[in-house]
Amino acid sequence: MPSVKKFLLVKQQRLTNDVFQMDLQAAAPLVGYLPGRFVMVAIPNGLQQLRRPLAIAAVDEAAGKLSLIYRVVGQGTAQLAALTTGEQLSILGALGNGFATQKLVSGDRVLLVGGGTGLPPLMYLARFLAQKGCSVTTMVGFRTQTQIFGTQVFAAAGKLQLATDDGSAGIQGNVGTLLAAFNATDCQQVFACGPLGLLKAVQQRFAKQTMPVELSLESRMGCGMGACAGCMVSVGGGTLNQHICQEGPIFSAAEVQL
């Protein structure tokens, strides 16, 4: 069973106008904080009853260090952004299934595709795969240059391809433009996280390919442990409903119904 742990906020950083990164420190080493998993963060003042699901952007398990990246979209995340160094946070996790990376070996060619607040789990994954010796290509899309964050991580892990809707950075267009030009020959696995339109584009682009394609789904969550049934998705041709928080958030593109 996942446990609740206390973390100390050691750094709060604004990455863009509405995207923030929290660097946290636990009192003991962390276990099971794998790429693609997430945590449920309690809002410290107690006025917001539900925890907020946040993807793991980076972790040093042995040192007990955890980084979370989030966008301010409402009162709860605005209260998180107002926290200062030295505050304590109650965090449930790690939760979810995580990306299936076990079969990948050094030299394997992998593709990461993301946009918006779908980037944090891919940032962690990019570092993880680079350490395994994989050849990592990452495609990311933003509306405009001022919304860009995390690209230095992807560039350090391998090859970065960037698109913006207005052409203010990278190529003008969206991730679909980059996907159309991608040569899937010898690509061993594809991972994607981001808005629904992006996930659908990835699902359609690789529908006839044989390599595993994994999609990380985002959803509102009440509990993060499958009890409230507030984050259901259909799989297996629509014959089965599963929890994004428990059976996911990672699903096979060949099975999930978007």
Side-chain angles (χ1 to χ4, degrees):
M1 285 288 292
S3 60
V4 174
K5 298 179 181 65
K6 295 294 185 181
F7 285 81
L8 185 69
L9 177 60
V10 296
K11 185 178 181 180
Q12 177 94 271
Q13 180 182 3
R14 184 191 292 267
L15 302 181
T16 73
N17 181 55
D18 58 354
V19 175
F20 291 78
Q21 175 174 325
M22 292 193 301
D23 295 332
L24 306 165
Q25 178 69 59
L30 303 173
V31 178
Y33 285 65
L34 299 172
R37 303 193 78 189
F38 67 97
V39 297
M40 298 287 288
V41 181
I43 308 302
N45 63 18
L47 298 179
Q48 303 288 329
Q49 293 185 353
L50 297 180
R51 294 174 180 265
R52 296 304 191 270
L54 298 180
I56 299 170
V59 68
D60 182 337
E61 288 190 322
K65 296 179 178 180
L66 176 68
S67 293
L68 306 174
I69 295 177
Y70 61 98
R71 171 169 280 125
V72 174
V73 294
Q75 291 184 352
T77 45
Q79 289 165 17
L80 285 180
L83 297 178
T84 57
T85 300
E87 301 255 16
Q88 266 202 343
L89 285 90
S90 169
I91 295 181
L92 173 67
L95 303 168
N97 57 356
F99 293 111
T101 62
Q102 299 87 344
K103 294 182 180 180
L104 292 171
V105 297
S106 180
D108 280 348
R109 184 179 178 221
V110 295
L111 173 66
L112 281 55
V113 187
T117 47
L119 293 185
L122 296 181
M123 292 167 66
Y124 181 13
L125 180 62
R127 293 188 184 100
F128 182 86
L129 293 176
Q131 290 175 355
K132 291 189 72 166
C134 295
S135 175
V136 181
T137 297
T138 305
M139 297 177 179
V140 295
F142 299 90
R143 285 197 294 272
T144 187
Q145 186 176 22
T146 58
Q147 296 183 338
I148 293 175
F149 69 93
T151 51
Q152 70 280 5
V153 172
F154 300 120
K159 182 180 180 181
L160 171 65
Q161 297 184 19
L162 173 66
T164 52
D165 292 348
D166 61 3
S168 54
I171 70 162
Q172 183 169 7
N174 55 33
V175 168
T177 309
L178 299 173
L179 284 171
F182 179 70
N183 181 2
T185 304
D186 297 326
C187 181
Q188 273 69 47
Q189 198 157 346
V190 178
F191 305 91
C193 186
L196 182 60
L198 180 147
L199 298 182
K200 287 183 175 180
V202 171
Q203 188 178 50
Q204 294 168 5
R205 170 64 178 82
F206 298 105
K208 297 181 180 180
Q209 302 291 329
T210 58
M211 87 284 281
V213 179
E214 295 193 335
L215 308 179
S216 178
L217 274 57
E218 299 173 333
S219 175
R220 290 181 178 272
M221 295 178 186
C223 67
M225 299 179 66
C228 68
C231 60
M232 306 300 291
V233 65
S234 295
V235 299
T239 61
L240 179 66
N241 290 327
Q242 292 189 334
H243 304 83
I244 291 177
C245 68
Q246 193 169 32
E247 288 83 20
I250 316 301
F251 293 90
S252 166
E255 291 292 325
V256 69
Q257 307 296 301
L258 298 178

